[in-house]
Amino acid sequence: MKVQRIECNPLQENCYVVSDESRECVIIDCGAYYDEECEAIGQYISENNLKPVHLLATHGHLDHNFGNAYVYRTYGLKPEICAEDQDLLEQLPLHARELFGMEITDEQPPIGRLLADGDTITFGSHQFTVVRTPGHSHGSALFYCEAEKTVFTGDTLFRMSIGRTDFPEGSWKEMENSLHRIAELLSQDTTVLPGHGPQTTIADELKYNPYLR
């Protein structure tokens, strides 16, 4: 499995293009806001002869979904997100304007598959499992590839930190429960690819992250 990280938008969000030998790929958290970010994603896909088959969102916050319209327009993919964050995604232009003074003029794509805990997402010879981890938002989730010992954590778990819980849809109690679940579910040699910042491992987070110790 090959993972390409493309840093996007003023909030330095990590968009991931994940592919394997089949040339099928998934796009996770397409936060591309500027034209050059969309072009970088498209160029990588084109140069590697990839076929995007899923557009996945770890949660509904705007910095992880700015580029959904581009992906829909270019590849015909609708965003797939946990049902609990459907409203957030549908209100993305409003949140962009009210919270950041940003105008999103592109028509937003309809939401595709509504995900639930335990669902599977397949591409090529690989499979992700959806692991719901509410706390940062009601519908936050991980995409876990057990075969490759790799997990995409969105804004639930960062290197030596965690996502904020002070948004209206956040909950510290839910975040605590989600962190406990992560510690129990994922092996220590799992690579963590977060929504912001550098990658890490479960072992390092259990040892050094004050929220998991």
Side-chain angles (χ1 to χ4, degrees):
M1 191 172 75
K2 184 176 181 181
V3 179
Q4 178 71 15
R5 180 179 71 91
I6 300 168
E7 191 175 276
C8 295
N9 68 59
L11 297 180
Q12 298 178 304
E13 179 268 345
N14 293 330
C15 170
Y16 296 100
V17 180
V18 188
S19 60
D20 66 12
E21 71 283 350
S22 72
R23 303 288 183 180
E24 288 190 346
C25 71
V26 299
I27 302 170
I28 300 175
D29 285 358
C30 189
Y33 180 72
Y34 299 109
D35 288 343
E36 54 266 33
E37 295 165 351
C38 295
E39 292 167 3
I41 293 169
Q43 182 176 354
Y44 175 79
I45 290 171
S46 176
E47 288 180 349
N48 289 276
N49 297 313
L50 301 180
K51 178 185 177 182
V53 293
H54 292 284
L55 170 60
L56 305 178
T58 58
H59 62 294
H61 288 160
L62 74 170
D63 56 317
H64 292 252
N65 295 281
F66 280 131
N68 289 352
Y70 163 76
V71 174
Y72 181 63
R73 184 170 64 247
T74 308
Y75 305 109
L77 298 178
K78 302 174 184 178
E80 302 173 43
I81 191 168
C82 281
E84 293 80 4
D85 269 11
Q86 179 178 359
D87 289 348
L88 278 178
L89 202 55
E90 290 175 342
Q91 297 170 16
L92 188 146
L94 175 64
H95 292 156
R97 183 168 57 253
E98 291 186 346
L99 298 177
F100 295 97
M102 294 176 169
E103 289 296 329
I104 297 179
T105 57
D106 288 339
E107 183 177 353
Q108 295 302 297
I111 295 176
R113 178 182 176 188
L114 290 175
L115 303 172
D117 188 62
D119 281 354
T120 57
I121 298 156
T122 60
F123 67 101
S125 61
H126 286 82
Q127 177 176 288
F128 290 153
T129 299
V130 177
V131 181
R132 273 204 65 220
T133 53
H136 181 66
S137 69
H138 294 313
S140 287
L142 316 181
F143 300 121
Y144 175 43
C145 183
E146 184 176 6
E148 300 281 352
K149 295 185 177 180
T150 300
V151 64
F152 299 85
T153 57
D155 285 3
T156 296
L157 179 64
F158 302 132
R159 183 178 180 274
M160 309 307 165
S161 189
I162 61 171
R164 293 173 56 175
T165 61
D166 58 342
F167 294 122
E169 66 277 4
S171 165
W172 170 244
K173 182 60 178 177
E174 287 190 330
M175 178 65 83
E176 279 189 311
N177 292 336
S178 293
L179 294 174
H180 288 148
R181 187 179 188 197
I182 289 171
E184 293 174 356
L185 177 67
L186 304 181
S187 61
Q188 293 199 25
D189 55 352
T190 300
T191 297
V192 175
L193 297 171
H196 301 269
Q199 71 179 52
T200 182
T201 65
I202 292 296
D204 281 351
E205 296 314 299
L206 290 173
K207 186 175 182 179
Y208 300 113
N209 190 327
Y211 297 99
L212 266 71
R213 292 171 65 184

